[in-house]
Amino acid sequence: MAFVSTFAPLVCIVAFHHARGPEIESWFGVEGGSDPAVDNDWSFLPFMALSDGSHASTEDFSYFTLRQRRTDVHPTSSVFGISCTRQMDAGELLYRPADVTRSTVQKAVVVVADNPQYFGQLREKLSIVTRAWFAQRDFSDVDILKKFQESLAKSLQDTEDDRDQYLGKYPKRARVEVNIHLPSQAFHYENSYTNPELDSYEKNLVMPTSLKTSERSSLLSYMGLPLQLFGKGSLLGPYTPLQQLDILADYGTKSYIVGSTNSLLLQQKDRYSDILINLDESSISITSPSLRNALTLSPADRRWIDFLTVTVSDTWDERNPSQPKSYGYLGSEEFIRLQFEEYLLALLSSVKYNLYLNSHPSPIPLPNIEGDPSIDFNPDWVQAWRQTSSFALFASHTDSHLFDIVEPRHPTAGTLSLDDIQRRVSLQIQSLHLDERFASSKDLLGKHLATGQKKVTSVFNTVWADIEDFQRRRGEEQKSIAAQTADSTASSPPPTRFPRPPDLSLAQASVTAAGHKAGAYISSWGTWASERRKGWGRNENDPVAVVTGKVGDGAGMWKVREGEEGVGRSRDWGKVVEGERERKSPAGKDLSRGRREERGGDGIGRLDA
């Protein structure tokens, strides 16, 4: 028989003492002056309420779980806590206690309840109450906290059927990985979060025998929801202080989801985590290689999460994140929650249909379903889930033909379309902030172009001004010259155009010298070519004569080499005379064929016949 919970919400104050550290100051809502922390061994509650790093912010919130011991009224179960931490300058206090020795005072107001489904709206109320209590500047006045606890007990009864079922807001541009499920409905039944030894959900679970499709709760229960995520050997710690790390490493702890603000877990992530989600860097690291394939999104999964992310991003309101900027259903909390609910129902139905196809020798396929629809949910993930105790409990407590109730089809099943590609590219641009980078580059380029345009315009204006100044000065000079010429013309007769005949002797001398040089060069070249032709008719053993030297240099130096071609053997055998150059071969032949070189008066050698 299931026990009926009669746990009333509790409120307490946690303060940071300079010598003893975090400690509980007082409780509100308890009977007979009892201390729930002592009765239930909540020694870690002060460390959970005052999280590491909370002193760095004006206001900070922390979520945590606690274990409630068994009594005659209720069994061993889990309870949930939320705290709001603030701090103020100690000099602003109207009454400063003697134990306040530091410059700042840090305190947290904590609420402990047996169900976290309404923590979304409770967070807002807790923030208002804590801010008002600090504004009094007198922490001894706790009347506002007493009334707050009384209102909580009454409001829970009045809003039992209208609770805001979420733990927090949907973050902007959050990448929700479909394969890491944490359905909000699980909190309504699951009672085994705080200790790996607890397993009350499985013990009290009964297979439903009836279904009312008009009632949402009946449909979810018949489909096997909520799935058991935290059974025997599992732990949930939204905020886990360092004092609880020993529980994570305990042999009896098989799985857990914990949160921390201490960087020590980042340094030892390989020891404590298979999946690490860093909220400061908005990153997800899969440290376990065996989970990489199972956690890869299928094309249909990626299409589904892209649609959800784009919808939330398009309707996000920075000024009021609690509701979409269109004030409509699309992008709201209810919209997001129902999208996940639809996904889970389709997943469970598809897995049941897969079991049916594989377990029957001649299965009768559904008329509108082609093949195995569970493939769209990543077969590696489905296979990994089938090996867990969560799947075993689901399979044993649900009907085998769930696919007759909910169609076994992925919400975004189908082939890849152009819209999918465009959506994916758009999301990649958003995640890489390419729009912002392109915008900054465009602005920078525009600035450089504007600066360059100014510089070019300045240079052009300067050059144009110089040209205009030059034209102006030249015009003035021409006017001055014209005026002087007019005065000179008026006072004297016009001069003779050619007062004397031009002297042509210099021009004739230059022409003559150039002709002499050209003739000398051509004659020397002809002589050399003639000698070469003679050499072509000799035998290989005959000496070869090569004439080298300068023509018309005035020195008349010639050098003749004799020897075999390619050997380089040579000797001087020519004779140089003033005004005449005589060249003979070793056989006594005249190489110049009677030609005689004469030098003119200008020092240029001429070869005459």
Side-chain angles (χ1 to χ4, degrees):
M1 178 179 178
F3 289 89
V4 179
S5 176
T6 59
F7 186 87
L10 304 178
V11 176
C12 71
I13 301 174
V14 175
F16 184 85
H17 192 274
H18 69 280
R20 298 186 294 268
E23 60 181 8
I24 300 176
E25 289 187 340
S26 57
W27 283 95
F28 305 98
V30 297
E31 298 179 357
S34 61
D35 189 346
V38 176
D39 298 340
N40 297 281
D41 190 20
W42 292 347
S43 58
F44 294 147
L45 188 151
F47 301 95
M48 296 176 179
L50 288 177
S51 60
D52 297 331
S54 59
H55 61 278
S57 57
T58 304
E59 184 180 68
D60 189 54
F61 293 90
S62 177
Y63 299 88
F64 51 91
T65 57
L66 300 167
R67 185 184 65 172
Q68 187 183 23
R69 287 181 176 177
R70 179 185 178 92
T71 65
D72 297 336
V73 180
H74 57 78
T76 302
S77 60
S78 300
V79 292
F80 306 86
I82 177 175
S83 68
C84 178
T85 304
R86 295 186 68 90
Q87 57 186 344
M88 67 177 299
D89 191 345
E92 298 179 1
L93 294 175
L94 299 179
Y95 169 71
R96 182 169 181 171
D99 58 349
V100 178
T101 59
R102 294 194 174 188
S103 59
T104 59
V105 179
Q106 186 181 30
K107 294 180 182 291
V109 179
V110 184
V111 176
V112 179
D114 65 340
N115 200 311
Q117 287 185 341
Y118 60 94
F119 273 21
Q121 79 179 53
L122 177 59
R123 173 186 171 122
E124 304 299 332
K125 294 181 180 180
L126 182 60
S127 175
I128 295 174
V129 171
T130 306
R131 192 182 307 114
W133 185 49
F134 268 73
Q136 296 179 159
R137 297 189 297 166
D138 183 5
F139 294 128
S140 61
D141 185 0
V142 294
D143 186 61
I144 187 175
L145 300 182
K146 293 180 181 179
K147 293 181 179 180
F148 175 58
Q149 189 278 328
E150 295 172 357
S151 66
L152 286 179
K154 185 176 183 303
S155 62
L156 291 182
Q157 298 176 358
D158 296 340
T159 60
E160 183 69 27
D161 298 329
D162 188 24
R163 292 177 177 178
D164 192 11
Q165 301 179 10
Y166 62 90
L167 283 175
K169 306 299 182 184
Y170 188 89
K172 183 180 181 182
R173 299 193 184 98
R175 297 298 300 163
V176 181
E177 295 295 336
V178 183
N179 300 320
I180 306 175
H181 297 301
L182 190 62
S184 60
Q185 293 84 359
F187 290 106
H188 185 66
Y189 302 99
E190 185 59 74
N191 208 12
S192 307
Y193 300 118
T194 58
N195 194 301
E197 298 179 359
L198 299 181
D199 195 19
S200 60
Y201 177 77
E202 182 176 355
K203 293 179 180 179
N204 299 326
L205 184 62
V206 178
M207 182 176 177
T209 57
S210 62
L211 169 64
K212 294 181 179 180
T213 55
S214 59
E215 294 183 5
R216 176 171 172 267
S217 58
S218 177
L219 175 62
L220 296 180
S221 177
Y222 190 83
M223 294 295 295
L225 293 177
L227 298 175
Q228 185 191 44
L229 300 180
F230 303 95
K232 190 176 182 61
S234 301
L235 172 68
L236 171 65
Y239 175 73
T240 302
L242 296 180
Q243 289 79 1
Q244 283 190 310
L245 290 184
D246 293 340
I247 299 178
L248 304 183
D250 188 81
Y251 178 78
T253 304
K254 305 300 182 182
S255 62
Y256 50 80
I257 296 180
V258 297
S260 177
T261 58
N262 198 299
S263 60
L264 181 62
L265 286 181
L266 294 178
Q267 301 173 5
Q268 303 184 18
K269 61 180 181 180
D270 294 335
R271 176 185 180 186
Y272 288 107
S273 69
D274 291 327
I275 302 173
L276 179 64
I277 303 176
N278 193 326
L279 298 180
D280 293 335
E281 300 179 358
S282 299
S283 63
I284 299 178
S285 302
I286 303 176
T287 57
S288 174
S290 61
L291 295 177
R292 295 186 183 275
N293 292 335
L295 296 179
T296 301
L297 297 181
S298 67
D301 284 341
R302 188 169 295 280
R303 192 181 306 121
W304 179 81
I305 196 63
D306 287 348
F307 161 74
L308 185 59
T309 305
V310 169
T311 303
V312 174
S313 299
D314 292 344
T315 59
W316 186 266
D317 189 356
E318 290 285 357
R319 296 171 298 180
N320 187 11
S322 62
Q323 61 183 2
K325 58 184 178 182
S326 61
Y327 297 97
Y329 168 73
L330 203 64
S332 63
E333 294 282 350
E334 185 68 17
F335 167 80
I336 298 170
R337 186 161 53 249
L338 291 181
Q339 296 302 313
F340 276 96
E341 182 178 297
E342 178 188 13
Y343 180 92
L344 287 175
L345 293 177
L347 167 67
L348 301 179
S349 178
S350 298
V351 171
K352 281 288 186 176
Y353 188 64
N354 172 267
L355 296 176
Y356 168 76
L357 294 177
N358 296 330
S359 60
H360 287 72
S362 301
I364 302 176
L366 296 178
N368 299 327
I369 303 299
E370 297 181 0
D372 184 3
S374 65
I375 296 178
D376 289 333
F377 295 92
N378 186 357
D380 291 332
W381 185 92
V382 174
Q383 183 62 28
W385 180 48
R386 292 180 61 176
Q387 299 175 3
T388 65
S389 58
S390 172
F391 176 81
L393 189 63
F394 162 76
S396 61
H397 287 75
T398 53
D399 189 89
S400 60
H401 285 63
L402 292 182
F403 50 85
D404 291 334
I405 307 301
V406 176
E407 185 180 30
R409 185 191 303 273
H410 196 287
T412 55
T415 58
L416 194 65
S417 63
L418 181 60
D419 292 339
D420 299 330
I421 299 176
Q422 292 176 346
R423 186 185 304 112
R424 191 63 192 163
V425 171
S426 176
L427 290 174
Q428 289 293 339
I429 292 177
Q430 292 181 8
S431 62
L432 296 176
H433 304 284
L434 293 182
D435 290 340
E436 300 175 4
R437 297 179 183 180
F438 288 159
S440 60
S441 300
K442 183 178 180 180
D443 294 340
L444 184 61
L445 180 61
K447 292 180 180 178
H448 284 302
L449 290 176
T451 304
Q453 183 179 6
K454 292 180 180 179
K455 292 181 179 180
V456 172
T457 303
S458 177
V459 172
F460 180 78
N461 291 337
T462 303
V463 173
W464 186 255
D466 292 341
I467 293 174
E468 291 181 344
D469 183 64
F470 173 75
Q471 291 177 345
R472 180 182 56 78
R473 287 188 282 104
R474 184 177 180 182
E476 293 177 354
E477 292 176 357
Q478 290 179 351
K479 292 180 179 179
S480 176
I481 294 174
Q484 294 177 2
T485 302
D487 295 342
S488 176
T489 302
S491 58
S492 61
T496 306
R497 186 171 182 178
F498 297 105
R500 59 179 179 175
D503 187 4
L504 301 179
S505 59
L506 295 177
Q508 292 175 352
S510 299
V511 173
T512 304
H516 290 170
K517 290 181 180 180
Y521 177 78
I522 295 174
S523 299
S524 299
W525 182 84
T527 303
W528 176 83
S530 177
E531 293 298 329
R532 291 298 295 174
R533 283 195 297 271
K534 291 180 181 181
W536 292 340
R538 297 193 186 99
N539 296 328
E540 294 181 357
N541 297 326
D542 292 342
V544 178
V546 180
V547 181
T548 61
K550 297 181 179 179
V551 178
D553 56 359
M557 298 299 297
W558 291 85
K559 183 178 181 181
V560 182
R561 296 176 183 172
E562 177 185 21
E564 296 182 0
E565 271 190 77
V567 176
R569 185 178 45 164
S570 63
R571 62 186 178 87
D572 294 339
W573 54 275
K575 181 174 64 174
V576 179
V577 295
E578 184 66 18
E580 179 177 0
R581 190 175 283 118
E582 180 180 69
R583 295 175 291 173
K584 294 183 179 180
S585 66
K589 297 181 179 180
D590 186 2
L591 298 180
S592 59
R593 292 186 178 182
R595 297 179 180 270
R596 188 163 56 92
E597 179 183 26
E598 297 179 357
R599 251 185 293 176
D602 56 355
I604 299 176
R606 294 187 299 276
L607 295 178
D608 300 331

